[in-house]
């Protein structure tokens, strides 16, 4: 199994966490987004979508993080990421999609390049753009969480926590005031006490420098 990843890609961060939680042996291949390596002929021959992360398995290549995570959970049921009753599983999926897709859905390289090159937006304005979407999303997610839980659902990490941690990492990078979201901040702290999350963090990746 081979994961095509970049250290600061939120989606790749999610997949690294899941692979660690499930103790799945894998090879890591670095695709540098800042050098546009995801658009190179060699990578596109492996993954025509040019998306990161991409997971290459005996079955082929998957390149959407949530699809990868669900496949991993079905294929490697130990340390389940989606657990409980049918209703609880639906709640986990609901929160996971909200975190992954709605907090900052337009913060990607294409949008940032358009803001810079076509609209002449400066770095501070782009950072404000980031903070806006993160804060709008966090306000809603904070209301969906139970303050008595260590994680998004109960006392073990699930798919929702895997989606949340990279978003909090980005929020801290862009100076979002996390004291406004105490439940989210507490979950982030609990998650990062686990080696599976800590080892997957961007600063601990081989391409981080």
């Amino acid at each position: 199994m081979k994961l095509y990843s970049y250290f600061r890609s939120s989606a790749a961060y999610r997949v690294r966490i899941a692979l660690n939680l499930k103790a799945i042996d894998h090879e890591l291949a670095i695709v540098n987004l800042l050098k546009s390596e995801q658009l190179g002929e060699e990578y596109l021959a492996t993954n025509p979508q040019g998306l990161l992360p991409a997971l290459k398995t005996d079955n082929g290549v998957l390149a959407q993080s949530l699809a990868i995570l669900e496949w991993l959970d079905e294929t490697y049921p130990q340390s389940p990421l989606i657990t409980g009753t049918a209703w609880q599983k639906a709640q986990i999926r609901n929160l996971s999609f909200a975190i992954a897709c709605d907090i900052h859905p337009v913060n990607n390289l294409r949008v940032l390049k358009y803001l810079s090159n076509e609209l002449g937006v400066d770095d501070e304005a782009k950072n404000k753009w980031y903070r806006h979407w993160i804060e709008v999303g966090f306000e809603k997610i904070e209301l969906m969480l139970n303050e008595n839980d260590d994680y998004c659902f109960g006392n073990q990490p699930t798919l929702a926590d895997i989606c949340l941690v990279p978003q909090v990492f980005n929020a801290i990078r862009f100076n979002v005031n996390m004291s406004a979201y105490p439940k989210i901040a507490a979950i982030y702290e609990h998650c990062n006490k686990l080696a599976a999350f800590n080892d997957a963090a961007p600063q601990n990746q081989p391409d981080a420098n």
Side-chain angles (χ1 to χ4, degrees):
M1 191 178 298
K2 188 173 186 177
L3 174 64
Y4 295 87
S5 178
Y6 183 60
F7 79 107
R8 220 165 59 198
S9 162
S10 297
Y13 191 175
R14 295 173 202 145
V15 177
R16 292 195 301 265
I17 294 169
L19 289 168
N20 289 345
L21 281 171
K22 291 181 172 292
I24 299 172
D25 187 36
H26 61 282
E27 178 186 354
L28 186 64
I30 307 304
V31 180
N32 193 321
L33 295 174
L34 298 182
K35 295 180 180 178
S36 297
E37 290 178 355
Q38 76 278 13
L39 302 177
E41 290 183 8
E42 182 179 356
Y43 182 63
L44 290 176
T46 299
N47 173 26
Q49 288 182 283
L51 299 175
L52 287 181
L55 188 67
K56 187 175 183 180
T57 75
D58 292 339
N59 298 316
V61 176
L62 279 174
Q64 298 282 358
S65 65
L66 292 180
I68 292 171
L69 295 176
E70 293 233 19
W71 178 81
L72 287 172
D73 209 33
E74 292 180 8
T75 308
Y76 301 90
Q78 67 275 21
S79 302
L81 308 178
I82 305 171
T83 186
T85 65
W87 178 252
Q88 289 168 330
K89 290 177 180 178
Q91 286 182 304
I92 291 171
R93 286 188 172 96
N94 176 71
L95 186 57
S96 302
F97 281 110
I99 293 167
C101 301
D102 292 343
I103 287 181
H104 59 292
V106 291
N107 287 339
N108 58 49
L109 290 177
R110 288 177 299 173
V111 171
L112 294 181
K113 286 181 178 179
Y114 184 78
L115 289 173
S116 298
N117 299 338
E118 303 299 327
L119 301 182
V121 173
D122 62 24
D123 286 343
E124 179 50 39
K126 285 193 291 185
N127 290 346
K128 185 176 181 181
W129 175 269
Y130 268 109
R131 286 192 296 272
H132 168 75
W133 289 109
I134 292 171
E135 289 168 355
V136 167
F138 276 8
E139 288 173 4
K140 296 176 175 60
I141 298 301
E142 182 78 5
L143 295 173
M144 297 170 69
L145 299 171
N146 183 344
E147 63 184 358
N148 296 320
D149 289 344
D150 290 338
Y151 299 96
C152 288
F153 285 92
N155 297 311
Q156 67 180 51
T158 67
L159 181 65
D161 302 281
I162 291 173
C163 291
L164 182 64
V165 165
Q167 307 292 44
V168 179
F169 176 84
N170 284 331
I172 293 170
R173 284 180 59 222
F174 289 96
N175 299 314
V176 171
N177 178 16
M178 290 306 302
S179 66
Y181 317 105
K183 297 177 194 174
I184 293 174
I187 289 169
Y188 184 70
E189 182 178 349
H190 276 288
C191 286
N192 281 316
K193 290 178 180 177
L194 302 177
F197 282 83
N198 188 55
D199 292 348
Q203 67 271 21
N204 295 326
Q205 301 314 299
D207 56 335
N209 297 318

